[in-house]
């Protein structure tokens, strides 16, 4: 987040994106209004608002829009962008130039909406959009500008959700307190018990007015803001309904006519009960992210050059520092083992249950736990936002913020819904009034229609399920890029698996070197290694691993022939390293006897890589990679689900077929270039299949991009660089299965939610219009429907516990 807080005068950025936290949204139509308000700003390309998360994801052109525009547009629409502010102590503020400078620096930071200096107290308060900046980044900017300062607030982040739940509870308690007298009045009216003042109209008027204009005022205020902007949302329904009942009753007090104060107050109380339960439940759906964030320790032990160990806050750790990790500690930042040995439990990041031994120069990730019985030392290589853990959190948050297509369907319904409901209420009022001649009954029915029809549950149906689903996915090491990815995964009918690095472990080892006469083995390996130095292919690692640095030849102008091998020049001659196709392409023929000798190796599932200089073949390298232990089981499980499984590889046919046979794949496409792989996927999709391509992302990028669902096997730590729909943190074929299960179950849950939400409204509105439901029952039912949807989404967690 620190990155966003750079000055706006820096290099021109065009496509920028930002996440805003939005307060004040109550239902699906609010979502549409906020989106509309954001999209209306010139320079904003897209805006996605998520109701359950209360976040807006905005893509915009940073040259034309400033983040302050977002804040004003959202607040004009009647909502608010959440901000965060901190106060810093700054010596010298009594001097005007220092004050000006502080203000100028703070204002130039992106995301900052307010700067206030207080010369007498010597402090400056900076307010910025939550999530865009951090106190540290602000401090850094000041310090960079030559101003010294210190943070006054303790910097404890207040949990917004908890605050909201508390606020909702307070409001509800207040509302119940003043609704109780009205219930007493009701009891006296119907049962004749209790003192006479229970039914005193003035007492009723007082109690109901407190509820209407106290806790209930929030509905009226938001309804008014919406109506003023020509929008209609659920607040409009609640406000119109309760205000109608209240106004008619006030008239009743003066005209000695019937009173409906109990109706207006009870409806408000019931809806507040719903809001409170919703706030509590929403807090639970985001638990996955909180669990991830809780993996970060607060402090860590830094070892300085003299060997002295001091405990510091994790935020203070800088790249390059040496940290001491004791047994049982959570690792604070990403880094490399420097001294000693780490025995880490990475299950929280990857779902991988086995402990991993990490020795010198191997990487360890923030959030994982050291289970060894001795302390080890590590060097910090990535801190803060750059750690894998932070990237996972970001990926999950983004997955939840970007709207699934199915959600847009719900939004469209909600948009036309409110005006229609108001229409139905008016018709109910007029029709009943004229037909029965009883305007009292007519009014109650109209109020019931308004109250029962709130589209809250519709708005909550998708995001709550997506939130739970993507959270569960993250726990087992399956990261979905967004809601759409979940939706697509649910539709997959065929899986294409890359061989190297996906079905096999991707840690190949050089097993045998076959050198032609007059060529020594070290020379051959040294030449091969020279070509592989710039490659990040798994085969390259095997060759480099086996080579002696002293033998590496001075090969020049090395480049990659994607999916074939490497090409370079030595003494004016072309040097080739790769498959037969590569040699063929350069007009080099492999001697017959050598070729037959290597056939048996290929048939045993090993990869044969040829090395040639000029037009002579110097030899071959036989490289073997172990098949992942769970591959066979996972592939069988996929086929049991009626999913077509095909293996795509650039390796030669014999090798590929052997591996395929071992894991139980019958459909093998070998000797494919990366483009061939993409073309194969395109043709399967054209044939009506929905294909998920699983690859290690190194040379499978075209195929990953072409497939309906690209699943990238994260090679270690590059979550952020992945552009695939799904990132598999754990390199096991079984992760594919888990991704499918999570996708299918989540989308099934969304459908279920949408069905019930719609069903509920379709059934309840006529019941209310024909007087079967009293306004109070309608209020209770509407509260219940929201709570049901959220609870149903939470149940997904249990449905997926076995994943
Ligand atoms: P896969 O589809 O199984 O992941 P690739 O497309 O990466 O395989 O590579 C196909 C074949 O091309 C390999 O089996 C190998 O023979 C050759 N090849 C590709 N890259 C290299 C490289 N860097 N060094 C040597 N051979 C390579
Ligand atoms: Mg590969």
């Amino acid at each position: 987040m620190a990155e966003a807080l750079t000055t706006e005068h820096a290099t021109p950025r065009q496509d920028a994106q930002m996440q805003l936290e939005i307060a004040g949204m109550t239902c699906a139509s609010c979502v549409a209004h906020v989106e509309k308000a954001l999209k209306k700003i010139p320079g904003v390309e897209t805006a996605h608002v998520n109701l359950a998360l209360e976040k807006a994801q905005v893509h915009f052109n940073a040259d034309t829009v400033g983040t302050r525009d977002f804040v004003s547009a959202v607040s004009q629409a009647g909502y608010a962008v959440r901000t965060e502010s901190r106060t810093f102590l700054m010596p010298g503020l009594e001097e005007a130039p220092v004050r000006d400078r502080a203000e100028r620096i703070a204002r130039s930071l992106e995301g900052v909406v307010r700067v206030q200096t207080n010369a007498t107290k010597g402090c400056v308060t900076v307010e910025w959009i939550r999530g865009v900046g951090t106190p540290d980044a602000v401090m850094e900017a000041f310090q960079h500008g030559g101003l010294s300062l210190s943070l006054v607030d303790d910097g404890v982040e207040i949990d917004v959700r908890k605050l909201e739940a508390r606020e909702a509870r307070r409001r509800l308690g207040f509302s119940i307190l003043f609704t109780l007298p009205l219930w007493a009045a009701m009891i006296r009216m119907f049962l004749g018990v209790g003192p006479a003042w229970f039914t005193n109209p003035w007492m009723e008027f007082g109690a109901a007015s407190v509820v209407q204009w106290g806790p209930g005022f929030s509905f009226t205020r938001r309804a008014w803001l919406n109506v003023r902007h020509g929008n209609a949302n659920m607040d409009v329904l609640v406000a119109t309904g309760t205000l109608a009942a209240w106004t008619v009753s006030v008239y009743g007090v003066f005209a000695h006519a019937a009173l409906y104060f109990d109706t207006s107050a009870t409806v408000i109380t019931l809806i507040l009960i719903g809001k409170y339960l919703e706030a509590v439940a929403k807090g639970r759906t985001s638990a996955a992210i909180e669990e991830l964030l809780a993996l970060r320790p607060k402090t860590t032990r830094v070892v300085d050059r003299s060997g002295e160990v001091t405990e510091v806050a994790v935020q203070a750790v800088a790249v390059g520092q040496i940290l001491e990790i004791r047994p049982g500690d959570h690792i604070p930042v990403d880094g490399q083992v420097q001294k000693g040995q780490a025995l880490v439990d990475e299950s929280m990041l990857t779902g991988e249950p086995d402990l991993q031994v990490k020795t010198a120069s191997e990487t360890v990730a923030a959030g994982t736990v050291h289970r060894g019985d001795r302390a080890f030392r590590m060097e910090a290589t990535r801190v803060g936002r750059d750690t894998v853990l932070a990237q996972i959190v970001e990926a999950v948050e983004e997955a939840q913020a970007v709207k699934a297509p199915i959600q847009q369907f719900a939004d469209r319904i909600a948009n036309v819904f409110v005006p229609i409901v108001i229409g139905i209420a008016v018709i109910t009022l007029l029709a009943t009034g004229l037909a029965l001649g009883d305007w009292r009954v007519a009014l109650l029915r109209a109020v019931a229609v308004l109250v029962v029809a709130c589209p809250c549950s519709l708005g909550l149906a998708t995001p709550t399920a997506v939130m739970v689903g993507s959270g569960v996915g993250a726990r087992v090491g399956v990261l979905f890029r967004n809601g759409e990815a979940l939706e697509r995964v649910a539709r997959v009918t065929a899986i294409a698996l890359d061989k190297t690095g996906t079905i096999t472990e991707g840690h190949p080892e050089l097993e045998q070197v076959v050198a032609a006469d007059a060529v020594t083995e070290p020379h051959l390996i040294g030449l091969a290694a020279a070509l592989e130095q710039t490659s990040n292919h798994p085969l390259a690692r095997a060759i480099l691993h086996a080579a002696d640095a002293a033998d590496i030849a001075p090969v020049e102008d090395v480049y990659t022939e994607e999916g074939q091998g490497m090409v370079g020049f030595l003494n004016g001659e072309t040097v080739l390293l790769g498959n037969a196709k590569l040699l063929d392409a350069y007009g080099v023929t492999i001697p017959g006897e050598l070729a037959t000798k290597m056939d048996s190796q290929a048939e045993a599932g090993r990869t044969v890589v040829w090395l040639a200089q000029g037009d002579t073949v110097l030899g071959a390298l036989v490289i073997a990679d172990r098949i992942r232990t769970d591959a066979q089981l996972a592939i069988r499980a996929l086929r049991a689900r009626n999913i077509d499984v095909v293996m795509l590889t650039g390796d030669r046919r014999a090798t590929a077929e052997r591996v395929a046979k071992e894991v139980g794949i019958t459909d093998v496409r070998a000797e494919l270039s990366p483009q061939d792989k993409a073309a194969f996927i395109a043709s399967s999709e054209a044939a009506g299949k929905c294909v998920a391509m699983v690859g290690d992302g190194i040379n499978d990028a075209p195929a990953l991009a072409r497939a309906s669902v690209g699943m990238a096997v994260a090679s270690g730590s590059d979550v952020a660089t992945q552009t695939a729909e799904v990132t598999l943190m754990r390199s096991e074929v079984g992760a594919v299965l888990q991704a499918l299960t999570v996708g299918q179950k989540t989308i099934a849950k969304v459908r279920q939610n949408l069905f019930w939400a719609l069903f509920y409204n379709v059934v309840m509105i006529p019941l209310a219009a024909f007087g079967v439901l009293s306004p109070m029952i309608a209020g209770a039912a509407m509260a219940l429907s929201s709570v049901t949807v959220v609870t149903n989404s939470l149940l997904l967690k249990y449905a997926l516990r076995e994943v």
Side-chain angles (χ1 to χ4, degrees):
M1 280 159 218
E3 275 163 26
L5 272 172
T6 48
T7 59
E8 286 177 348
H9 317 294
T11 45
R13 292 145 303 150
Q14 276 117 31
D15 296 325
Q17 57 169 316
M18 186 175 285
Q19 215 176 51
L20 309 172
E21 296 183 27
I22 310 282
M25 295 189 297
T26 48
C27 66
S29 45
C30 301
V31 167
H33 302 151
V34 174
E35 276 180 3
K36 206 163 80 187
L38 286 169
K39 282 184 191 151
K40 261 206 302 234
I41 308 172
V44 170
E45 276 136 33
T46 57
H48 288 288
V49 174
N50 178 306
L51 176 63
L53 273 170
E54 306 187 310
K55 282 188 177 161
Q57 183 89 21
V58 195
H59 286 257
F60 59 100
N61 183 324
D63 293 339
T64 47
V65 210
T67 42
R68 255 156 278 186
D69 301 336
F70 301 150
V71 177
S72 55
V74 170
S75 74
Q76 266 168 30
Y79 305 88
V81 173
R82 284 211 177 90
T83 56
E84 184 177 12
S85 72
R86 289 283 195 283
T87 302
F88 304 88
L89 270 182
M90 189 178 286
L93 264 190
E94 47 282 89
E95 295 163 40
V98 176
R99 212 158 51 228
D100 287 349
R101 172 154 209 174
E103 287 187 4
R104 214 177 43 238
I105 291 173
R107 276 189 220 287
S108 71
L109 295 175
E110 191 177 319
V112 167
V113 288
R114 196 175 58 97
V115 185
Q116 208 166 40
T117 50
N118 184 328
T120 41
K121 282 193 192 156
C123 60
V124 45
T125 304
V126 184
E127 182 180 344
W128 61 86
I129 296 175
R130 262 182 75 94
V132 176
T134 61
D136 286 352
V138 175
M139 298 246 294
E140 209 171 280
F142 280 133
Q143 277 154 1
H144 200 74
L147 298 170
S148 66
L149 75 173
S150 56
L151 187 62
V152 184
D153 300 345
D154 59 356
V156 178
E157 274 208 31
I158 309 153
D159 189 337
V160 189
R161 288 241 193 280
K162 285 209 187 94
L163 260 182
E164 260 163 27
R166 207 179 308 153
E167 169 68 22
R169 196 175 53 209
R170 205 183 51 82
R171 206 178 274 167
L172 172 64
F174 199 69
S175 188
I176 291 178
L177 195 68
F178 283 88
T179 308
L180 282 177
L182 297 162
W183 289 340
M186 237 187 332
I187 290 170
R188 190 183 128 82
M189 239 178 58
F190 291 115
L191 305 178
V193 289
W197 62 266
F198 269 19
T199 44
N200 180 321
W202 292 101
M203 191 277 305
E204 289 193 35
F205 169 64
S209 302
V210 170
V211 175
Q212 185 75 41
W213 300 102
F217 184 62
S218 52
F219 299 112
T220 314
R221 191 179 55 89
R222 281 195 303 261
W224 168 241
L225 282 172
N226 269 288
V227 170
R228 216 183 49 193
H229 287 93
N231 298 327
N233 69 348
M234 76 152 261
D235 294 314
V236 177
L237 300 180
V238 176
T240 335
T242 57
L243 272 176
W246 181 82
T247 314
V248 170
S249 307
V250 173
Y251 166 79
V253 172
F254 291 101
H256 302 286
L259 305 182
Y260 313 106
F261 285 128
D262 46 359
T263 302
S264 67
T266 308
V267 165
I268 288 174
T269 299
L270 286 170
I271 293 175
L272 289 175
I273 291 178
K275 290 256 161 247
Y276 168 66
L277 293 177
E278 200 181 296
V280 171
K282 272 205 281 184
R284 272 193 214 130
T285 52
S286 62
I289 292 184
E290 272 160 39
E291 273 168 35
L292 280 171
L293 287 174
L295 295 172
R296 293 180 307 193
K298 298 232 165 358
T299 60
T300 186
R301 295 154 61 82
V302 172
V303 186
D304 68 15
R305 235 172 274 153
S306 60
E308 206 169 307
V309 180
T310 39
E311 183 128 356
V312 302
V314 167
Q315 290 90 319
V317 174
V319 170
Q321 276 182 326
I322 307 296
L323 312 175
E324 183 178 82
I325 312 294
R326 289 169 305 178
D329 280 355
H330 276 272
I331 292 169
V333 296
D334 288 359
Q336 282 186 345
V337 176
Q338 205 222 13
K339 212 168 114 191
Q341 197 182 59
L343 185 64
V344 287
D345 174 0
E346 297 189 326
S347 59
M348 50 290 282
L349 289 193
T350 63
E352 168 76 58
D354 297 334
L355 296 181
Q356 312 280 321
V357 180
K358 308 270 181 153
T359 52
S361 86
E362 283 189 283
T363 56
V364 286
T368 58
V369 183
H370 176 42
R371 296 278 181 220
D373 51 9
R374 284 217 200 126
F376 74 94
R377 287 188 179 176
M378 62 179 275
E379 183 184 336
T381 54
R382 281 190 295 208
V383 301
R385 211 185 165 192
D386 301 328
T387 61
V388 177
L389 178 66
Q391 286 167 14
I392 292 178
V393 170
E394 211 172 295
V396 175
E397 274 182 338
E398 195 181 329
Q400 298 175 342
V402 176
K403 221 171 263 180
I406 200 166
Q407 167 80 54
Q408 283 155 11
F409 160 75
D411 288 355
R412 268 205 306 276
I413 295 179
N415 248 338
V416 293
F417 196 71
V418 175
I420 291 179
V421 169
I422 292 180
I424 295 177
V426 171
I427 293 170
T428 305
L429 177 72
L430 296 179
T432 317
L434 294 175
L436 304 181
D438 188 342
W439 291 94
R440 190 186 68 93
V441 172
L443 179 77
L444 284 182
R445 289 188 186 178
V447 169
V449 167
L450 290 173
V451 168
V452 84
C454 290
C456 302
S457 46
L458 204 57
L460 290 167
T462 315
T464 50
V466 166
M467 226 145 112
V468 174
S470 51
V472 171
R475 208 190 59 219
V476 295
V478 177
L479 303 181
F480 293 91
R481 187 145 63 125
N482 51 34
E484 183 171 2
L486 271 161
E487 226 179 299
R488 288 193 189 186
V489 166
R491 284 201 304 262
V492 163
T493 57
I495 301 248
L497 295 158
D498 167 50
K499 177 178 77 75
T500 320
T502 301
I503 294 179
T504 64
E505 283 180 352
H507 302 299
E509 275 165 27
L510 184 59
E511 290 223 323
Q512 197 191 344
V513 180
V514 181
D517 304 332
V519 182
T520 67
E521 243 180 59
H523 175 72
L524 197 76
I525 299 179
L527 198 53
L531 284 157
E532 298 288 22
Q533 269 173 326
T534 54
S535 169
N536 53 7
H537 198 276
L539 293 176
R541 286 199 294 264
I543 292 172
L544 287 170
H545 189 72
D548 212 325
D551 295 326
I552 293 183
V555 179
E556 291 172 332
D557 297 334
V558 177
Y559 63 92
T560 310
E561 281 284 1
E562 221 41 272
Q564 295 191 350
M566 310 295 294
V567 183
F569 293 93
L570 181 65
N571 307 332
E573 277 181 313
T574 316
V575 200
L576 304 170
L577 179 72
N579 54 13
K581 226 180 187 172
L582 178 73
L583 269 60
D584 196 42
Y586 282 80
V588 180
T589 37
I590 300 165
E593 80 219 72
L594 198 58
T596 34
K597 202 160 138 197
M598 289 295 120
D599 281 348
S600 61
Q601 296 288 6
E603 276 152 24
R606 301 191 184 99
T607 299
V608 179
V609 180
W610 301 98
L611 181 70
Q613 184 169 3
D615 46 18
T616 25
V617 173
L618 301 184
L621 304 165
V622 180
I623 299 170
D625 194 1
R626 270 193 300 274
I627 291 172
R628 292 190 192 280
T629 44
D630 79 321
Q632 195 185 7
L633 261 179
I635 285 162
R636 197 181 302 154
L638 284 170
R639 302 181 90 186
R641 289 197 197 183
N642 268 332
I643 292 194
D644 296 336
V645 182
V646 53
M647 177 164 125
L648 305 181
T649 180
D651 213 341
R652 62 192 282 182
R653 175 150 296 279
T655 311
E657 270 176 356
R658 173 60 193 260
V659 172
K661 198 165 153 226
E662 226 156 285
V663 297
I665 295 179
T666 45
D667 195 357
V668 183
R669 311 290 156 124
E671 293 167 34
L672 301 179
S673 71
Q675 281 66 34
D676 293 340
K677 290 185 186 177
F680 172 79
I681 284 170
S683 70
S684 309
E685 300 227 320
K689 289 184 190 164
C690 178
V691 186
M693 167 77 200
V694 191
D696 53 12
I698 290 171
N699 52 14
D700 300 323
L704 287 172
R706 188 64 197 76
S708 285
V709 180
M711 294 192 187
V713 179
S715 43
S717 52
D718 50 353
V719 190
T721 62
Q722 305 288 358
T723 51
E725 272 79 17
V726 180
T727 303
L728 307 176
M729 296 296 296
R730 191 166 37 104
S731 17
E732 269 176 28
V733 185
V736 177
L737 207 62
Q738 291 174 321
L740 293 191
T741 311
V742 172
Q744 284 162 353
K745 292 219 165 145
T746 305
I747 296 306
K749 191 59 94 178
V750 169
R751 296 228 169 86
Q752 216 177 61
N753 280 344
L754 285 177
F755 172 79
W756 284 112
L758 282 173
F759 176 81
Y760 164 88
N761 274 320
V762 167
V763 171
M764 292 297 192
I765 293 175
L767 288 183
F770 289 104
V772 183
L773 291 179
S774 75
M776 280 178 243
I777 307 280
M782 107 110 229
L784 195 68
S785 83
S786 295
V787 174
T788 313
V789 162
V790 178
T791 312
N792 192 33
S793 290
L794 282 172
L795 287 178
L796 183 59
K797 219 184 225 160
Y798 297 96
L800 287 172
R801 74 186 174 279
E802 295 288 323
V803 163

